[in-house]
């Protein structure tokens, strides 16, 4: 086909060039003479500007053999095509309507020259060349070639193959050509066809429209039947390139329930009928291209509708042309002169419509009962599709093509000199029109038809695409009809858009629902497709989504699952994301409830003990060793119990910042008070030695308060520096569990946290060491022993806390820290204040000076270093007495020291009272009776 086309093109170009240039220069030096005239059927109307047209008024042609022994005869055409004739008349109507429109092309009269191409490539090509070269037998040459070209543009052709051939040549001279029926996507190549335009959508969009229908109903497994021409081949390649999964009909397996038809004309209808009847193909959903939808009315018969009923087809956009029917009714043979162009076509139409013949009739016509045409027959009284304007599709495209040329001419004539688009801002004129100038305006034309459709061309010369979706309906009475059930539109902004009224669609199945045609069923939610190796795109396996990913929409083309957002996780079905479970030490869970109850219990216990001490503040056991520090210890312990509540509940910024600061400062206050108490005991011990009385002056009430405040201020400074430099903050931790968010407080600076704990530990160890040194002072109630034991518990708790805290994940770390706070706080509370409360409440007889000071009559018994010493009643010398010595341990003198204020003043022998003596280097309070 391609080689034949190329050879014919070369022949025409050579002939045209030869007769245009060689012969005139040799034979006619001052004129050009037309060597051959094209006598095929044509219609013509004069005007200031002429538009050309090519229409298939006949189906077939007869061309004599090219023996080149005599002059070739003109081709003849037969089999009158009523629709082709109506297309030509539609162009004539559009030209008349434009001439009657004062607002479009004023003062310019349009004319036309329309040729019958007889549905033949050679005839159509000769007609196109005749249009652009003109039919004048002789042209007088002038010094300059000026004036209008024979035609300024051509409406046609109807076939893609003919349009390719014609536009390949006319495009060299930039002759505008606007087709109303050529759909091949190859014609969108502006390099090959620079002046080609069309008012029918390209096959590229037709493919998109059909793919939209396939996708709309989920048909991913379909068969394909095409014609072996440009129309079919380009469509098949486009479908495959767009990813449609199609099988050739010859290898069709009956798992396929949808068959796509790309047939360009009625010549294939017999093949379809043969296939349907021989193979008894039922249960198929047919999806037809516009080429078959428009010409397959012969298949819509009661015999074939059981197979073809329910067919969905793409059809050219239907439009309305007001006044066209009235114009068609004006056609009458008797109104035309015998020499008028178009007389032959009108007569053929008249004979075809009324089944008559004009005189002289063919031999045997009258004898066979045939009627003679008078030309007076009435068109309105005959049932003919020629007057049926309810389904104007290609006619509507012809109408738009004529108006596109007219509007581009009008835009050209509206140009203001000095503001034109051409060199030097010049404008084009009819007197010196170059056709490429009209192409410039045609590329930019934009208007709206009376039917409401916008007409404009893109950079490839393609019109804004739109198709109607048609459905072959099989009515209950056995009749058939084709109804419009939707449309497919295309735009540069939204892409393809399909609108279907599914309630109107007739499905030729018992279910009355769309058939399913897939290689693999849609993947259910929660899975994704994995293509089978070597299989088409629609053949795949469904694999469950991995954790944290979902697929919540059944999809044929989703190659993966979607990851859930950060705070979400996939549900067990993997079909949607759900919020991740959250974990923190909550007030509502058992652990949080226990810690909260324990914290409140500890705080209340501190309050009760404080109340007991306040009530019994004048008793010796409360006053012993600075009762003010005891009150401060109780208050700080209460804060320690309460600060553990900050570790319970969802972490917030303020709780994260406050919890460690409150914990650190509260415990430093408590341990500082204990340290000061211990240091006071040590100072008293030193003051009991000879020359050590000055040590007590450094531990007065003000000094004790100042020491506690100073030690607490250091911790406050540590906390402030920590919060300023790297403040603790809430943190969503997903390292422990992917499907769970563990809310915790990030410490910000581990170094700051370590310094805070280290400072508390340092004070605790110091208190422990000092208390351990003075634990054996000779009191009946020695508080140093209690401090030693409490600090031992405190240190043990926090030493164990560090490794447990580090190894505890999530909210358990908060629970461990809260537990450590409560355990150490209870340890301090019980060991320091438990014995005192026991004596105050249950043993009040021990809450006396005598019991507290450890009174004993002479002779007395004192245990020291495992030895027993007995003092003797009597008068002691003022200088003192010498204590008996143990062989294993030298003893020092036992010297009487200053007596307590409550003791009587003595002169001479020792009387009753309480004395402080240094007994073998250990201070004792001795009671003397």
């Amino acid at each position: 086909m391609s080689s034949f086309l190329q050879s014919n093109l070369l022949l025409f170009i050579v002939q045209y060039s030869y007769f245009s240039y060689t012969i005139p220069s040799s034979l006619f030096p001052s004129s050009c003479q037309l060597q051959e005239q094209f006598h095929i059927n044509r219609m013509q109307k004069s005007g200031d500007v002429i538009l050309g047209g090519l229409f298939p008024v006949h189906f077939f042609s007869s061309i004599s053999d090219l023996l080149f022994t005599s002059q070739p005869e003109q081709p003849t055409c037969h089999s009158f095509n009523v629709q082709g004739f109506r297309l030509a008349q539609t162009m004539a109507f559009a030209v008349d309507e434009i001439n009657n429109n004062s607002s479009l092309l004023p003062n310019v009269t349009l004319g036309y020259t329309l040729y019958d191409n007889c549905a033949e490539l050679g005839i159509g090509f000769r007609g196109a060349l005749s249009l652009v070269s003109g039919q004048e037998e002789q042209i007088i040459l002038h010094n300059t070639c000026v004036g209008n070209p024979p035609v300024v543009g051509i409406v046609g052709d109807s076939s893609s193959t003919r349009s390719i051939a014609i536009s390949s040549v006319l495009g060299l001279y930039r002759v505008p050509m606007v087709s109303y029926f050529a759909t091949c996507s190859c014609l969108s190549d502006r390099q090959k066809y620079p002046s080609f335009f069309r008012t029918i959508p390209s096959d590229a969009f037709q493919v998109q429209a059909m793919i939209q229908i396939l996708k709309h109903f989920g048909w991913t497994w379909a068969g394909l039947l095409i014609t072996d021409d440009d129309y079919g081949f380009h469509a098949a390649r486009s479908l495959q390139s767009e990813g449609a999964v199609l099988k050739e009909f010859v290898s069709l397996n009956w798992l396929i329930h949808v068959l796509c038809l790309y047939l360009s004309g009625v010549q294939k209808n017999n093949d379809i009928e043969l296939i349907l009847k021989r193979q008894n193909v039922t249960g198929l959903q047919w999806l037809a291209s516009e080429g078959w939808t428009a010409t397959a009315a012969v298949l819509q018969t009661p015999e074939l509708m059981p197979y073809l009923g329910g067919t969905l087809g793409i059809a050219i956009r239907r439009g309305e042309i007001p006044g066209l029917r009235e114009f068609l009714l004006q056609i009458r043979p008797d109104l035309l002169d015998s020499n008028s162009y178009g007389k032959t076509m009108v007569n053929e139409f008249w004979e075809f419509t009324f089944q008559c013949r004009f005189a002289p009739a063919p031999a045997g016509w009258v004898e066979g009962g045939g009627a003679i045409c008078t030309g007076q027959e009435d068109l309105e009284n005959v049932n003919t599709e020629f007057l049926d304007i309810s389904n104007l599709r290609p006619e509507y495209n012809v109408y738009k093509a004529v108006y596109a040329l007219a509007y581009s001419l009008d835009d050209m004539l509206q140009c203001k000199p000095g503001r034109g688009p051409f060199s030097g801002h010049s404008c084009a004129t009819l007197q010196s029109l170059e056709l490429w100038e009209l192409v410039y305006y045609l590329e930019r034309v934009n208007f709206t038809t009376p039917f409401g459709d916008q007409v404009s061309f893109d950079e490839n010369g393609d019109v804004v695409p739109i198709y109607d979706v048609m459905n072959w309906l099989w009515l209950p009475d056995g009749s058939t009809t084709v109804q419009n059930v939707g449309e497919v539109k295309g735009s540069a902004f939204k892409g393809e858009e399909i609108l279907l009224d599914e309630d109107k669609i007739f499905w030729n199945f018992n279910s009355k629902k769309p058939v399913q045609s897939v290689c693999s069923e849609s993947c259910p939610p929660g899975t994704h497709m994995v293509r089978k190796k070597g299989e088409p795109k629609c053949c795949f396996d469904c694999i469950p989504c991995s954790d944290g990913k979902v697929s919540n929409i059944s999809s044929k083309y989703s190659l993966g699952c979607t990851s859930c957002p950060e705070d979400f996780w996939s549900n067990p079905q993997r079909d949607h994301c759900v919020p991740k479970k959250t974990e923190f030490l909550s007030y509502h869970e058992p652990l949080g409830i226990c810690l909260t109850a324990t914290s409140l219990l500890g705080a209340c216990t501190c309050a009760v003990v404080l109340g007991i001490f306040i009530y019994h503040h004048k008793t010796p056991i409360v006053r012993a060793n600075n009762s003010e520090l005891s009150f401060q210890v109780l208050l700080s312990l209460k804060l320690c119990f309460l600060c553990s509540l900050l570790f319970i509940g969802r972490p917030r910024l303020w709780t994260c910042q406050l919890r460690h600061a409150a914990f650190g400062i509260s415990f430093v206050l408590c341990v500082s008070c204990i340290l000061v108490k211990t240091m006071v005991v040590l100072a008293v011990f030193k003051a009991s030695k000879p020359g050590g009385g000055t040590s007590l002056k450094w531990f007065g009430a003000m000094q004790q308060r100042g020491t506690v405040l100073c030690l607490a201020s250091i911790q406050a400074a540590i906390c402030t520096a920590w919060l300023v430099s790297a403040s603790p903050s809430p943190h969503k931790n997903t390292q422990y569990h992917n499907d769970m968010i563990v809310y915790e407080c990030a410490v910000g600076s581990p170094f700051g946290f370590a310094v805070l704990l280290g400072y508390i530990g340092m004070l605790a160890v110091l208190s422990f060491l000092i208390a351990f040194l003075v634990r054996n002072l000779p009191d009946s109630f020695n508080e140093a022993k209690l401090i030693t034991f409490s600090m031992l518990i405190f240190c043990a708790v926090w030493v164990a806390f560090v490794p447990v805290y580090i190894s505890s994940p999530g909210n358990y770390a908060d629970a461990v820290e809260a537990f450590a706070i409560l355990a150490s706080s209870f340890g301090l509370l019980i060991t320091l204040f438990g014995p005192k409360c026991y004596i105050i409440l249950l043993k009040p007889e021990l809450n006396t000076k005598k019991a507290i000071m450890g009174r004993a009559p002479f002779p007395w018994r004192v245990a020291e270093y495992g030895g027993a010493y007995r003092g003797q009643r009597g008068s002691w010398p003022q200088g003192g007495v010498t204590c008996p010595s143990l062989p294993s341990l030298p003893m020092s003198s036992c010297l009487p020291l200053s007596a307590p204020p409550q003791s009587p003043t003595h002169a001479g022998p020792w009387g009753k009272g309480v004395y402080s003596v240094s007994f073998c280097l250990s201070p004792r309070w001795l009671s003397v009776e």
Side-chain angles (χ1 to χ4, degrees):
M1 174 67 75
S2 61
S3 62
F4 173 78
L5 178 60
Q6 291 176 358
S7 62
N8 277 277
L9 288 178
L10 181 60
L11 175 63
F12 283 123
I13 293 173
V14 170
Q15 289 179 339
Y16 184 79
S17 301
Y18 177 80
F19 288 119
S20 298
Y21 298 101
T22 305
I23 293 178
S25 62
S26 60
L27 301 179
F28 303 99
S30 61
S31 65
C32 293
Q33 183 173 351
L34 191 66
Q35 297 298 303
E36 185 69 32
Q37 207 168 33
F38 187 44
H39 293 293
I40 204 70
N41 294 331
R42 65 171 171 169
M43 294 172 53
Q44 188 170 343
K45 180 179 181 179
S46 61
D48 299 329
V49 179
I50 304 299
L51 301 181
L54 296 171
F55 301 97
V57 182
H58 293 85
F59 285 123
F60 305 105
S61 63
S62 298
I63 301 177
S64 61
D65 294 334
L66 298 176
L67 300 178
F68 296 103
T69 58
S70 61
Q71 183 177 0
E73 296 180 1
Q74 293 284 346
T76 58
C77 300
H78 53 89
S79 298
F80 189 79
N81 180 9
V82 175
Q83 186 180 22
F85 181 67
R86 187 168 65 177
L87 291 174
Q89 293 298 327
T90 302
M91 180 171 177
F93 166 77
V95 170
D96 283 356
E97 189 177 64
I98 293 170
N99 289 333
N100 294 327
N101 188 349
S102 60
S103 62
L104 182 61
L105 289 177
N107 304 320
V108 175
T109 302
L110 284 182
Y112 55 79
T113 299
L114 313 180
Y115 279 109
D116 177 13
N117 59 30
C118 301
E120 174 65 36
L121 172 61
I123 296 176
F125 197 93
R126 293 178 67 180
L129 291 180
S130 297
L131 287 173
V132 297
S133 62
Q135 290 292 303
E136 297 181 20
E137 294 186 0
Q138 186 174 0
I139 302 175
I140 306 298
L141 298 179
H142 301 282
N143 294 332
T144 59
C145 295
V146 296
N148 290 334
V151 293
V152 297
I154 296 176
V155 177
D157 196 309
S158 59
S159 163
S160 293
T161 301
R162 292 192 295 272
S163 296
I164 291 172
I166 296 171
S167 186
S168 296
V169 175
L170 299 190
L172 299 174
Y173 305 98
R174 302 300 190 268
V175 178
M177 183 173 176
V178 186
S179 175
Y180 53 89
F181 215 71
T183 60
C184 180
S185 58
C186 58
L187 288 165
S188 298
D189 188 344
R190 300 308 277 176
Q191 297 296 323
K192 294 182 179 179
Y193 316 104
S195 60
F196 180 81
F197 300 84
R198 52 183 157 192
T199 55
I200 187 172
S202 162
D203 280 340
F205 178 73
Q206 183 176 181
V207 170
Q208 293 294 333
M210 296 187 72
I211 289 178
Q212 288 298 318
I213 296 176
L214 289 170
K215 288 182 177 180
H216 182 83
F217 293 108
W219 298 330
T220 58
W221 192 244
L224 177 62
L225 185 62
I226 63 172
T227 51
D228 55 347
D229 56 11
D230 292 331
Y231 178 82
F233 293 145
H234 281 285
R237 284 194 292 268
S238 299
L239 277 170
Q240 296 292 350
S241 65
E242 291 294 335
V245 180
L246 302 166
K247 288 287 185 182
E248 295 180 4
F249 186 74
V250 293
S251 62
L252 181 65
N253 61 65
W254 299 117
L255 293 177
I256 293 176
H257 299 293
V258 176
L259 183 61
C260 297
L261 299 177
Y262 254 89
L263 307 180
S264 59
V266 296
Q267 66 270 25
K268 294 295 180 180
N269 290 341
N270 293 334
D271 297 336
I272 294 293
E273 184 175 356
L274 186 63
I275 292 172
L276 294 175
K277 290 183 177 180
R278 283 188 178 181
Q279 299 192 20
N280 191 25
V281 179
T282 59
L284 278 180
Q285 174 63 51
W286 301 77
L287 182 59
S289 65
E290 56 82 20
W292 193 61
T293 304
T295 60
V298 294
L299 296 178
Q300 297 168 11
T301 63
E303 294 79 14
L304 297 180
M305 283 303 287
Y307 308 103
L308 299 177
T311 295
L312 289 174
I314 300 295
I316 302 170
R317 172 72 165 173
R318 186 194 70 85
E320 294 181 2
I321 306 177
L324 177 61
R325 190 174 189 277
E326 290 74 14
F327 178 84
L328 298 178
L329 286 171
Q330 296 176 6
I331 298 176
R332 298 181 64 86
D334 58 342
L335 298 179
L336 296 175
D337 297 334
S338 59
N339 296 326
S340 298
Y341 293 111
K343 176 74 171 180
T344 302
M345 282 193 289
V346 173
N347 286 347
E348 282 191 75
F349 160 70
W350 208 261
E351 291 176 345
F352 179 84
T353 301
F354 294 101
Q355 295 298 303
C356 61
R357 293 292 183 270
F358 284 100
W365 174 260
V366 176
E367 291 78 6
I372 300 296
C373 299
T374 65
Q376 302 296 322
E377 290 84 0
D378 190 354
L379 281 175
E380 286 192 290
N381 293 332
V382 64
N383 184 16
T384 173
E385 63 173 328
F386 181 74
L387 296 177
D388 183 10
I389 62 170
S390 62
N391 197 31
L392 299 177
R393 298 185 186 276
E395 295 85 357
Y396 188 47
N397 287 340
V398 171
Y399 183 78
K400 291 188 289 187
V402 175
Y403 266 90
L405 289 169
Y407 272 103
S408 60
L409 279 170
D410 187 67
D411 292 341
M412 183 187 73
L413 298 179
Q414 296 294 328
C415 177
K416 302 295 182 184
R419 299 181 182 178
F422 308 117
S423 61
H425 300 289
S426 61
C427 296
T429 62
L430 290 179
Q431 290 74 25
S432 59
L433 177 63
E434 298 285 348
L435 293 182
W436 58 264
E437 295 173 326
L438 185 60
V439 172
Y440 171 85
Y441 287 99
L442 195 56
E443 289 176 339
R444 291 158 178 79
V445 74
N446 192 338
F447 64 95
T448 303
T449 68
F451 190 59
D453 290 336
Q454 180 185 4
V455 179
S456 63
F457 302 105
D458 62 13
E459 65 277 4
N460 297 321
D462 293 326
V463 74
V464 176
I466 182 172
Y467 272 113
D468 289 336
V469 181
M470 310 303 293
N471 180 223
W472 291 16
L473 182 61
W474 190 14
L475 299 176
D477 60 0
S479 61
T480 62
T481 185
V482 179
Q483 62 177 352
N484 190 326
V485 294
E487 61 185 26
V488 184
K489 297 180 179 180
S491 69
F493 304 103
K494 298 181 180 179
E496 298 81 25
E497 180 182 4
I498 183 169
L499 301 174
L500 289 179
D501 186 356
E502 295 190 36
D503 294 336
K504 293 175 60 177
I505 298 178
F506 168 74
W507 303 107
N508 196 26
F509 308 107
N510 294 331
S511 64
K512 303 304 179 183
K513 294 180 180 179
V515 70
Q516 296 296 317
S517 185
V518 295
C519 175
S520 300
E521 291 293 336
S522 298
C523 287
T527 63
H528 68 100
M529 58 170 284
V530 176
R531 292 179 182 172
K532 295 180 180 179
K533 189 174 182 180
E535 295 287 338
K537 180 180 178 180
C538 69
C539 300
F540 48 83
D541 294 320
C542 297
I543 306 300
C545 295
S546 58
D547 290 341
K549 295 185 177 181
V550 297
S551 175
N552 57 1
I553 300 176
S554 297
S555 175
K556 290 289 185 188
Y557 306 100
S558 175
L559 295 180
C561 300
T562 304
S563 297
C564 290
E566 181 181 4
D567 293 346
F568 290 81
W569 194 251
S570 56
N571 66 334
Q573 293 76 27
R574 304 291 195 274
D575 57 358
H576 67 276
C577 295
V578 295
K580 288 183 178 180
K581 297 178 182 179
T582 58
E583 183 179 87
F584 53 88
L585 191 57
S586 172
Y587 288 103
H588 304 291
E589 61 183 61
L591 182 58
I593 294 173
C594 292
L595 292 175
T596 302
T598 305
S599 175
L600 296 177
L601 176 62
C604 293
T605 304
C606 287
V608 171
V609 173
L610 183 61
I612 293 173
F613 270 49
I614 292 174
Y615 185 78
H616 298 279
H617 69 282
K618 292 184 179 180
T619 60
I621 199 168
V622 176
R623 296 180 61 185
N625 198 5
N626 199 332
S627 60
E628 181 179 343
L629 289 177
S630 298
F631 292 151
Q632 292 180 3
V633 171
L634 284 171
L635 290 174
S636 60
L637 279 177
K638 186 174 183 179
L639 293 176
C640 291
F641 280 115
L642 293 177
C643 75
S644 65
L645 296 176
L646 296 174
F647 292 85
I648 306 173
R650 183 168 179 171
R652 309 288 183 184
L653 179 60
W654 68 273
T655 58
C656 290
Q657 293 176 337
L658 184 60
R659 60 168 58 172
H660 291 106
F663 149 70
I665 294 175
S666 299
F667 269 96
V668 164
L669 281 173
C670 180
V671 177
S672 297
C673 293
I674 295 173
L675 177 61
V676 170
K677 288 170 68 72
T678 310
M679 293 174 65
V680 169
V681 173
L682 180 61
V684 171
F685 168 69
K686 290 184 177 180
S688 64
K689 294 182 180 180
T694 58
S695 61
L696 286 175
K697 70 179 181 179
W698 299 104
F699 286 94
M702 292 299 296
Q703 288 80 1
Q704 295 176 26
R705 298 189 191 105
T707 302
V708 172
L709 182 60
C710 180
L711 295 175
S713 298
I714 294 174
Q715 184 73 310
I718 293 173
C719 293
T720 302
W722 180 16
L723 294 177
V724 171
S725 61
S727 174
S729 60
H731 173 63
K732 297 177 182 179
N733 195 329
T734 57
Q735 295 180 353
Y736 306 123
H737 307 283
N738 289 330
D739 59 344
M740 181 181 296
I741 299 176
V742 178
Y743 287 97
E744 59 186 14
C745 285
V747 295
S749 172
F751 176 75
F753 188 40
V755 171
L756 181 142
L757 290 178
Y759 183 64
I760 297 174
M762 181 192 70
L763 295 181
V765 171
L766 185 59
S767 298
F768 171 74
L769 292 176
I770 296 175
F772 183 80
L773 292 177
V774 298
R775 70 189 184 284
N776 291 324
L777 290 178
D779 285 352
S780 293
F781 187 84
N782 188 355
E783 194 172 23
K785 293 180 179 179
L786 303 181
I787 294 175
T788 302
F789 188 54
S790 66
M791 287 297 101
L792 184 62
I793 295 175
F794 184 86
C795 293
V797 169
W798 287 103
V799 168
F801 158 78
V802 175
V804 176
Y805 178 81
I806 294 174
S807 61
S808 297
N811 60 342
Y812 294 105
D814 292 337
V816 166
E817 190 167 356
F819 178 80
I821 293 173
L822 295 175
S824 57
S825 298
F826 271 110
L828 294 177
L829 179 63
I830 294 173
T831 55
L832 290 178
F833 298 98
K836 293 183 179 182
C837 290
Y838 174 77
I839 293 174
I840 293 173
L841 299 177
L842 302 179
K843 296 291 184 178
E845 66 275 7
L846 299 180
N847 192 9
T848 60
K849 292 180 181 180
K850 179 179 179 181
I852 294 301
M853 298 304 177
R855 293 173 59 186
F858 282 86
W860 64 87
R861 184 178 181 86
V862 179
E864 181 66 28
Y865 298 110
Y869 304 92
R870 185 181 295 276
Q872 296 180 352
R873 187 185 298 274
S875 59
W876 286 359
Q878 192 70 22
V881 297
T882 302
C883 296
S885 301
L886 286 176
S888 61
L889 185 64
M891 300 295 174
S892 62
S893 300
C894 295
L895 302 177
L897 301 178
S898 59
Q902 65 271 24
S903 302
T905 303
H906 303 284
W910 288 64
K912 294 181 179 181
V914 178
Y915 296 83
S916 175
V917 299
S918 178
F919 185 74
C920 302
L921 298 180
S922 296
R924 294 281 192 239
W925 292 98
L926 303 179
S927 177
V928 180
E929 295 181 353

